Amino acid sequence: RAKAASLRVLDGIDLRVSPGEFIALVGQSGCGKSTILRLAARFWDVDDGTVTIGSAPVRSMRASTIMGMTSMVFQDVYLFDTTIRENLRIARPGATDAELETAARRARLDRVIEALPHGWDTQVGPGGLSLSGGERQRVAIARAFVKDAPILLLDEITSALDGENESAITEVVRELSHGRTVIVVAHRLSTVRQADEVVFLEPTQAGARVAQRGTPQELAAVPGPFREFIEASTASSRWHISSLAA
């Protein structure tokens, strides 16, 4: 059987993130933003080039070391079929109940827990299906608070949320990001505005490349894909559905 030709996803990406910096990856779907996060966490390995944390290539690091240094919150949150308490404790098995409660409060999860029939001991069901999307996101963010890792990887965590949940999660992410190195994949302007730097990716036949890079203010001031992104985001925020006369 002939081996399928490999497809290059990223081309010539040179991305350096300083300690404590908040970087937003922006661009159309399929341009490699999530791939960058997964390379940083070593879910995958590069064919060419090097991914490093500090000065150490991730290929030379134990998986447990990388996982201990990073917290990840992705769009599709998976929860284990157990209690909320145990889903949070997975992040750090030795965490005390008091530490879990502090993390829940910081993630605004405490309000959700108070409304559940069995509080902390509520079973969330397979994959967390007994909770809403916004509630599952808060559990995932609370886990990141519990873990307290120095590197935070966020992948479009507000893209499927309603306006109220988006606003709440955006506020919590701002607090969670404080003092951490953050790489976030974002389609929402509310998230991008928090970034120290924006990296705008665009697809090419040779793989995605960096089209623009700079602070949100710098990129908004010049013509280019980031300004177009802002204009499209602003226009869509004014959309509304109205009834039509018969």
Side-chain angles (χ1 to χ4, degrees):
R1 180 180 297 177
K3 184 178 180 180
S6 61
L7 177 65
R8 183 183 293 270
V9 179
L10 303 172
D11 182 48
I13 301 293
D14 184 5
L15 179 61
R16 297 173 183 271
V17 185
S18 300
E21 194 172 15
F22 188 127
I23 298 293
L25 303 179
V26 185
Q28 69 184 57
S29 296
C31 69
K33 304 183 299 296
S34 297
T35 298
I36 291 175
L37 292 192
R38 284 156 175 75
L39 289 172
R42 210 193 168 192
F43 289 179
W44 303 325
D45 278 328
V46 294
D47 294 320
D48 298 301
T50 308
V51 178
T52 63
I53 297 178
S55 59
V58 294
R59 285 181 185 268
S60 68
M61 301 171 69
R62 293 179 179 270
S64 59
T65 301
I66 298 172
M67 290 298 99
M69 297 173 65
T70 57
S71 290
M72 292 161 279
V73 182
F74 292 160
Q75 179 181 353
D76 298 320
V77 175
Y78 183 87
L79 301 181
F80 293 94
D81 188 9
T82 182
T83 66
I84 289 182
R85 186 189 310 278
E86 293 310 311
N87 268 286
L88 262 63
R89 190 167 272 130
I90 285 169
R92 184 159 52 87
T96 65
D97 285 348
E99 289 171 329
L100 299 184
E101 290 168 5
T102 297
R105 185 168 58 254
R106 297 179 73 185
R108 315 301 189 267
L109 179 63
D110 55 334
R111 307 168 190 175
V112 175
I113 293 171
E114 289 172 1
L116 293 174
H118 302 291
W120 279 93
D121 296 316
T122 298
Q123 298 282 331
V124 302
L129 292 179
S130 68
L131 303 179
S132 70
E135 290 167 347
R136 291 196 296 273
Q137 286 287 9
R138 291 175 197 236
V139 173
I141 291 170
R143 285 197 298 212
F145 274 119
V146 171
K147 192 172 186 180
D148 197 24
I151 300 171
L152 182 61
L153 307 176
L154 306 173
D155 193 354
E156 298 193 75
I157 65 173
T158 63
S159 62
L161 302 180
D162 57 43
E164 182 180 355
N165 270 309
E166 178 194 351
S167 178
I169 294 297
T170 299
E171 179 184 347
V172 171
V173 167
R174 185 179 294 111
E175 181 180 348
L176 177 60
S177 302
H178 182 70
R180 293 179 171 85
T181 303
V182 182
I183 306 177
V184 57
V185 171
H187 281 157
R188 298 289 184 95
L189 192 55
S190 58
T191 303
V192 175
R193 282 174 173 153
Q194 299 181 50
D196 298 313
E197 188 173 30
V198 173
V199 176
F200 201 103
L201 300 175
E202 66 177 12
T204 71
Q205 290 186 339
R209 69 177 186 89
V210 176
Q212 284 186 298
R213 183 170 184 175
T215 69
Q217 296 77 16
E218 290 170 345
L219 299 188
V222 297
F226 184 71
R227 180 187 282 183
E228 294 170 5
F229 162 77
I230 292 177
E231 291 171 351
S233 299
T234 304
S236 66
S237 69
R238 295 195 294 265
W239 293 353
H240 66 278
I241 298 175
S242 60
S243 59
L244 299 177

